[in-house]
Amino acid sequence: METAKCLIIGSGPAGYTAAIYASRANLAPILYEGTQPGGQLTITTEIENFPGYPDGIDGFEMMDQLRRQAKRFGTDIRQGMITSIDLSKRPFIATIDDGAAIIAADSVIIATGASARYLGLDDETRFRGRGVSACATCDGFFYRGKTVAVVGGGDTACEEATYLSNLAAKVYMIVRKDHLRASKVMQERVFGTPNIEVLFNTNTVGLFGTDGVEGAHLVRHKGTPQEEPLDIAIDGFFLAIGHKPNTEFLNGQVELDNAGYIVTRDGSQATSVDGVFAAGDVADPVYRQAITAAGMGCKAALDVEKFLLANGH
Ligand code: NDP
């Protein structure tokens, strides 16, 4: 069986930064990239707030640079998914792609990020790929000159709505509260864009259409005396209501909080299992930024180094 001193699972800013530090510490890390090499940032638009890029940088390009930096110091970067892992044994036993390979690892860094949330409507499944999307930068192109809706009131929703407003003729934002949660600068961009209409106090209850999405059934002021139904005609329905941490493969072996994020301890990246560390969005219900993910990746690699030394590896 193949062995590794440090196995890194995930390839966003957290995973790659952990890899840079672990490989520079001679830990010869093996990193599995998962289904979306580079993670969520590869499908975002320009990153404007990562220090060191005064003119902004394309998300895909930034992840490519981090990947190359990790490779330069010797990280063994591989394609594939860790489909299960046994954390009850030492070394830990990781199964790749349902048994295609098995690795025995002395330490593990979990940096698997988070995936887009859906509302949970049957119609979302029915129209997935036929008008329903959770990635404006991936699918926005198909809606040139059309009408779309973006659900959510956070930074992601504002970013997606602004991006889509450059392609689509009209963009609705469907916001369940009476205000946006997004940062002021993002809100100002939305309110300053004439073809974005924000529908506050509005919930989506269904989608309609024959072969693809043709419209959405909405309810305004749900659960109040002012409650009223409203249908809008749209061609595309984009979800931007946050993300769900990717922890299924852990099968409950690591402590999670109520929202499903990995709990880290004592100001470090240590999890409830000795030798297992977590970094990035999978362990961060609060900040969820590229820069904080990278910082956590660095901390996790330093924690691994200390753990391996203390345990005689
Ligand atoms: P957020 O959790 O910040 O926002 C989610 C939004 O979706 C909220 O408006 C929330 O409403 C709404 N929502 C959640 N569930 C539902 C539901 N079931 N029905 C309707 N609406 C729902 O997620 P984001 O992805 O926007 O942002 C995550 C983090 O990433 C944040 O920290 C953000 O600042 C950061 N980010 C930063 C960017 C940047 O700076 N360039 C770009 C994108 C993200 P409610 O407010 O009512 O809870």
Side-chain angles (χ1 to χ4, degrees):
M1 192 188 306
E2 189 176 18
T3 59
K5 274 190 254 187
C6 176
L7 173 67
I8 300 171
I9 311 174
S11 58
Y16 286 143
T17 305
I20 292 165
Y21 275 77
S23 46
R24 292 188 82 247
N26 276 344
L27 299 181
I30 297 177
L31 181 151
Y32 274 90
E33 289 188 311
T35 47
Q36 190 178 31
Q40 291 175 57
L41 288 183
T42 56
I43 52 168
T44 178
T45 46
E46 185 140 301
I47 299 167
E48 294 177 335
N49 50 9
F50 201 98
Y53 297 98
D55 303 318
I57 181 167
D58 175 77
F60 185 86
E61 191 187 333
M62 184 175 156
M63 287 304 103
D64 187 53
Q65 290 185 1
L66 288 187
R67 186 178 195 276
R68 284 195 284 133
Q69 199 172 350
K71 265 185 106 87
R72 176 181 154 209
F73 296 114
T75 303
D76 184 346
I77 297 178
R78 300 179 184 179
Q79 291 181 331
M81 288 284 284
I82 308 295
T83 42
S84 65
I85 190 160
D86 185 349
L87 300 178
S88 66
K89 296 194 180 85
R90 300 290 187 280
F92 307 116
I93 304 296
T95 302
I96 292 100
D97 293 335
D98 293 315
I102 301 219
I103 291 184
D106 295 325
S107 69
V108 174
I109 296 175
I110 302 165
T112 45
S115 301
R117 275 188 198 284
Y118 286 79
L119 293 170
L121 304 171
D122 288 343
D123 292 336
E124 285 171 320
T125 320
R126 185 154 72 99
F127 291 117
R128 186 91 49 103
R130 290 185 299 131
V132 171
S133 166
C135 177
T137 46
C138 312
D139 300 326
F141 180 78
F142 301 113
Y143 299 93
R144 275 185 305 175
K146 301 197 169 171
T147 300
V148 298
V150 176
V151 188
D155 280 325
T156 304
C158 289
E159 195 177 68
E160 306 250 296
T162 310
Y163 176 80
L164 287 166
S165 71
N166 289 317
L167 297 162
K170 161 114 190 170
V171 181
Y172 291 104
M173 274 184 80
I174 304 171
V175 180
R176 66 179 174 182
K177 289 200 177 129
D178 64 357
H179 60 271
L180 297 175
R181 181 198 287 218
S183 54
K184 280 281 169 278
V185 61
M186 300 296 252
Q187 294 195 24
E188 278 162 19
R189 257 178 229 174
V190 162
F191 295 133
T193 306
N195 62 339
I196 300 179
E197 182 181 346
V198 185
L199 303 173
F200 286 110
N201 299 306
T202 304
N203 284 72
T204 311
V205 290
L207 299 170
F208 57 88
T210 320
D211 293 328
V213 170
E214 290 169 21
H217 299 299
L218 310 178
V219 176
R220 307 193 81 169
H221 303 287
K222 200 168 176 216
T224 72
Q226 295 87 44
E227 179 170 316
E228 55 166 336
L230 167 74
D231 282 358
I232 54 170
I234 50 169
D235 305 289
F237 183 76
F238 288 84
L239 282 308
I241 58 167
H243 289 79
K244 180 172 158 297
N246 295 321
T247 56
E248 288 82 4
F249 74 104
L250 296 169
N251 209 12
Q253 297 172 93
V254 170
E255 187 189 348
L256 308 178
D257 70 10
N258 290 339
Y261 290 87
I262 296 177
V263 175
T264 53
R265 292 183 300 179
D266 310 326
S268 75
Q269 300 309 124
T271 69
S272 59
V273 179
D274 264 357
V276 178
F277 303 83
D281 282 13
V282 75
D284 179 8
V286 181
Y287 303 102
R288 296 176 292 189
Q289 304 295 303
I291 184 76
T292 50
M296 282 190 263
C298 157
K299 282 173 67 188
L302 297 176
D303 289 344
V304 160
E305 207 181 338
K306 217 159 95 186
F307 167 82
L308 292 175
L309 262 179
N311 287 275
H313 292 290

